[in-house]
Amino acid sequence: MNTDRERRPVPVVMHVRCPERLPEELYRQVLEQIGELSPVVQALPPTAALVDLRGALR
């Protein structure tokens, strides 16, 4: 018997943390690189991001 839990997609989220005091331009470059892997990236300024890996490239 399938339960609701088995049918729901499991979110796969990666939390990316960069070193503190990372220059803003370098942080933007990190976000751009992550954006090439997954269509869903949420910036968490000043130095972090959340990435939804369900649509990521293999």
Side-chain angles (χ1 to χ4, degrees):
M1 181 171 150
N2 289 338
T3 64
D4 287 335
R5 180 178 230 172
E6 291 174 352
R7 283 186 241 147
R8 276 190 241 146
V10 177
V12 180
V13 177
M14 177 174 61
H15 182 234
V16 177
R17 289 179 21 184
C18 299
E20 290 184 31
R21 300 187 180 138
L22 184 70
E24 187 175 335
E25 180 58 33
L26 191 52
Y27 176 61
R28 286 183 186 170
Q29 290 176 10
V30 169
L31 293 176
E32 288 175 13
Q33 291 291 312
I34 294 170
E36 292 181 13
L37 297 174
S38 174
V40 182
V41 178
Q42 179 180 352
L44 300 174
T47 59
L50 291 176
V51 186
D52 184 346
L53 297 175
R54 285 178 292 183
L57 297 173
R58 290 182 181 223

